[in-house]
Amino acid sequence: MNKIKNYLKRLWNALWDSTDLDEKAEAALKEAKARIAEMKKELADVKKAAKNVVAQSKDVVDAAKGKKRRGKKPYKKNKTKTNNNTKK
């Protein structure tokens, strides 16, 4: 019984050594890990963009309610000072 068991083990190992199935599995695993890492980066970008969309949508709702625009004031190019201190 022991001889048959050893023979089957050697046969099984010989079959596995003659195939490249394990190399293909390792390559597929490596590719999957690389893709997962890229997906994580993209999801982080999507999360950041989604937060920005939420903030912008709140501004739109506030504008619809009639509230003034928050944040940086628009730049005025033609700033001219007038002298209104003249006495008549």
Side-chain angles (χ1 to χ4, degrees), residues 24-51:
K24 287 181 182 178
E26 287 176 6
L29 182 63
K30 185 177 179 181
E31 177 70 23
K33 285 181 179 181
R35 288 184 184 189
I36 288 171
E38 288 297 318
M39 286 174 55
K40 284 181 181 180
K41 290 177 187 176
E42 289 298 324
L43 283 174
D45 290 343
V46 169
K47 181 180 175 183
K48 184 178 177 182
K51 284 183 179 181

